[in-house]
Amino acid sequence: MFRNCLIFLFLVLPLNINAIEVENLYSAKVAVASQSTNDRNQALKNALRAVLMKVGGKEIEHPLISQAIKNYNNYVTKYQYIRHANQISLDVFFDESKINDLFKASDLAIWGRLRPQVMVWLIEEDGFERKIISSTSNSLLPNIINDFSLLRGLPLVMPIMDLTDLTALTLTDVWGRFSQPVAQASVRYMAEAVVVVRVSNSSLLAAQSDTENCPTCQTKSLVVDWSLMTDAQREHTQVFSEQYTGDNVDELLINALSDITDIIYQQYALSTTNNNEFQIDIANIGSLEELIAVSEFLSELSAVQSVQLVSVQGTNRRFKLSLIGSKQSLFASLKLSEQLNRYIDPLAAPAGIEQVPIFYWGKK
């Protein structure tokens, strides 16, 4: 119920963002014990599972997905062994169109290549000491965040905690999850959303035990919680999580990040069940080169199956798009782009009458 409420909030609160185009979405690097056939086959299955999680945004349980993992060779395009020190890994590449067709056949949502960048302020409380964990901290926590980012295909960035960061905000600002200073300090990182994650073995743990009056809570050694700002550079809208308790900081942090990712995923996942056509106008196209660039841009959007130019008027071009998913998913993807800016004229037509949306094409 808690997660469903959060997802509803994030669906109705707009995200204004700077996007990152995720690379290597259809490839994965996995550890392999040896170059034997059995170990290689198991590694190929694990790699496919990792790619399906990145593309789908979450762990998927579906009969067709299970069958695909058994028939992993149908999706592999190439693989290569990589040796580093005494460890061997397998770098595996998969057929993008076959993976997308698999999701479509399974009626599963696809997360596109353009994804919001998320700023993570991680503050750790150990006894009476608190510290902000930077991207270069002598701690294992940044490694957990980096590994999670690669696994789920969600761009996560941590502060470098240089003089600029130290001047911009204090420990109290981060621990108190004060939206304004945290949002202002995050501007330099060009993130769409900002997360404050607190890890504590003292004050939060004591507060929870006192509140719940629960004997089993006394056996837990750690508490993790988070807050998320959806529109960090404007209204500083903030939602707070429940608390996660346990003994393993890796598991607690991964659980928290998974819930955050699920919420963001709901905004941009593309339903494969709602094939429909949709028209948009793109203005400011003054040359054949720009027309080709716009057509290629639209064709590469994960929400778009095909693109057709239907009319020309001056520098305005009207396109008919065959969508994979809803119009809302398309608009969410377009918000992530700096190349198209939507123009809305409130006086163009009476309220309730649907208009062809107008976008202006701009070079990066």
Side-chain angles (χ1 to χ4, degrees), residues 22-23 29 53-54 117-122 133-160 197 249-250 253-254 257-258 261:
V22 178
E23 298 180 351
K29 185 183 296 184
M53 179 180 289
K54 283 196 292 184
Q117 180 158 276
V118 181
M119 180 69 191
V120 180
W121 294 94
L122 178 62
I133 306 299
S134 73
S135 57
T136 58
S137 291
N138 185 21
S139 167
L140 296 178
L141 299 184
N143 293 333
I144 297 173
I145 292 177
N146 290 335
D147 291 345
F148 182 90
S149 177
L150 293 173
L151 178 66
R152 298 292 292 269
L154 181 65
L156 301 174
V157 60
M158 298 181 70
I160 57 179
V197 180
V249 67
D250 296 27
L253 187 54
I254 289 172
L257 293 173
S258 295
T261 304

Side-chain angles (χ1 to χ4, degrees), residues 11-247:
L11 287 175
V12 300
L13 294 173
L15 295 177
N16 300 292
I17 48 191
N18 297 288
I20 297 295
E21 184 171 2
V22 178
E23 298 180 351
N24 303 319
L25 192 60
Y26 293 85
S27 66
K29 185 183 296 184
V30 295
V32 60
S34 71
Q35 296 187 26
S36 69
T37 301
N38 289 338
D39 287 340
R40 182 183 67 240
N41 291 342
Q42 185 59 50
L44 291 172
K45 289 182 181 180
N46 293 339
L48 180 55
R49 289 191 184 95
V51 166
L52 293 174
M53 179 180 289
K54 283 196 292 184
V55 175
K58 59 182 179 180
E59 291 189 27
I60 301 170
E61 294 184 4
H62 190 281
L64 290 182
I65 297 296
S66 299
Q67 187 64 33
I69 293 174
K70 292 180 181 178
N71 300 321
Y72 57 89
N73 275 325
N74 292 337
Y75 301 90
V76 176
T77 58
K78 67 176 181 178
Y79 61 84
Q80 59 184 7
Y81 289 98
I82 300 174
R83 288 183 177 273
H84 181 71
N86 295 324
Q87 295 183 336
I88 307 175
S89 60
L90 194 64
D91 204 1
V92 191
F93 299 83
F94 295 91
D95 188 301
E96 179 176 345
S97 61
K98 287 185 178 180
I99 295 291
N100 290 344
D101 288 344
L102 172 62
F103 274 81
K104 187 174 182 179
S106 305
D107 290 337
L108 294 171
I110 298 173
W111 200 349
R113 291 182 183 274
L114 284 175
R115 304 189 178 188
Q117 180 158 276
V118 181
M119 180 69 191
V120 180
W121 294 94
L122 178 62
I123 185 165
E124 185 177 26
E125 181 183 58
D126 182 10
F128 297 101
E129 293 187 4
R130 294 172 182 170
K131 60 181 177 180
I132 299 172
I133 306 299
S134 73
S135 57
T136 58
S137 291
N138 185 21
S139 167
L140 296 178
L141 299 184
N143 293 333
I144 297 173
I145 292 177
N146 290 335
D147 291 345
F148 182 90
S149 177
L150 293 173
L151 178 66
R152 298 292 292 269
L154 181 65
L156 301 174
V157 60
M158 298 181 70
I160 57 179
M161 294 311 296
D162 58 2
L163 183 60
T164 301
D165 287 337
L166 293 172
T167 304
L169 81 176
T170 65
L171 281 170
T172 301
D173 293 331
V174 181
W175 185 261
R177 299 178 290 186
F178 298 130
S179 61
Q180 186 171 0
V182 172
Q184 288 178 348
S186 303
V187 170
R188 66 183 296 210
Y189 294 97
M190 301 297 292
E192 170 190 351
V194 176
V195 182
V196 175
V197 180
R198 304 189 300 183
V199 179
S200 171
N201 64 4
S202 48
S203 65
L204 294 182
L205 188 66
Q208 188 188 68
S209 297
D210 291 342
T211 301
E212 296 182 356
N213 193 25
C214 170
T216 59
C217 297
Q218 304 294 335
T219 64
K220 305 298 182 182
S221 60
L222 291 170
V223 171
V224 171
D225 65 14
W226 52 265
S227 66
L228 178 59
M229 285 179 274
T230 60
D231 193 2
Q233 298 181 24
R234 295 191 180 183
E235 298 177 0
H236 312 324
T237 305
Q238 193 170 19
V239 175
F240 299 91
S241 79
E242 62 185 356
Q243 291 187 326
Y244 307 74
T245 59
D247 302 315

